[in-house]
Amino acid sequence: MDVMAKLLTDLEFQRFSELQQKQASFTITPDEADELRDIVARAQKKRDDRASAMQAIEAYIAQFDITPDELFSPEQIGDAARTYGLITATKKERALPPSITFNGKPYQWTKTLPDNVRAALFDAFKAGESVRRFIAMPKDAARCALTIARLELETGAVYADTHLDELAISREQIADAATKLAA
């Protein structure tokens, strides 16, 4: 029944269901039986056409040696692998590293920052100044919290609550980010 629903339009499927019920209760007329056969024939033709299209696609994929990553995004491949139990169902949340801007140039703060960027950022932070001007993506609360947590961890200083409000992040978000940094 689900296959028929996929192969027919909504109206055709509704009519198919009605005619099937009539057939089951032996109240179907000869004209309605012909109509039912026509609907089933159209569905079978569509199924056959789909099967032919899939075979052609499979042949082209093999002929041109097309790899799955050319057809699907990594997320789609991961979702399919989880669906079919090839990898665990839990999706690990991927946190992007803090992104710093200095003199108009962006820097990913993975392990270290260039010395001149690090010095300016750390000096401003330790002096109790706002570091918003250094944050490349101030609207990304998770990355802001991670940046502040990392600064607090590496400098031993605590960022002022007024500056947290400026970044629209909370002390709890920073604590969560610090926990992730420790892990």
Side-chain angles (χ1 to χ4, degrees), residues 60-158:
Y60 290 131
I61 288 171
Q63 178 184 350
F64 296 108
D65 196 26
I66 299 170
T67 60
D69 60 318
E70 292 177 283
L71 295 172
F72 306 103
S73 71
E75 291 80 19
Q76 289 172 313
I77 293 170
D79 289 344
R82 274 184 281 288
T83 299
Y84 292 101
L86 301 175
I87 58 176
T88 57
T90 57
K91 191 173 185 179
K92 186 177 179 190
E93 189 177 309
R94 185 172 163 246
L96 294 171
S99 188
I100 305 297
T101 299
F102 185 69
N103 290 335
K105 188 175 174 191
Y107 297 90
Q108 292 290 318
W109 190 4
T110 49
K111 292 188 191 247
T112 59
L113 286 168
D115 288 339
N116 61 332
V117 177
R118 184 179 179 84
L121 175 63
F122 279 48
D123 289 347
F125 190 82
K126 286 190 272 186
E129 297 173 20
S130 168
V131 293
R132 189 177 198 288
R133 69 182 184 275
F134 290 97
I135 296 179
M137 304 179 109
K139 294 199 183 306
D140 187 338
R143 286 173 91 178
C144 282
L146 190 60
T147 303
I148 301 305
R150 188 158 180 187
L151 281 165
E152 287 184 349
L153 181 72
E154 293 191 23
T155 64
V158 176

Side-chain angles (χ1 to χ4, degrees), residues 2 4 8 15 23 32 50-51 54-55 58 60 78 85 103 109 112-113 117 124 128 133 136 151 157 160 164 174 178:
D2 290 337
M4 288 300 276
L8 300 171
R15 184 65 179 151
Q23 184 181 38
E32 288 172 331
R50 285 171 55 103
M54 288 302 290
Q55 287 173 345
E58 288 169 0
Y60 290 131
N103 290 335
W109 190 4
T112 59
L113 286 168
V117 177
R133 69 182 184 275
L151 281 165
L164 293 180
I174 292 171

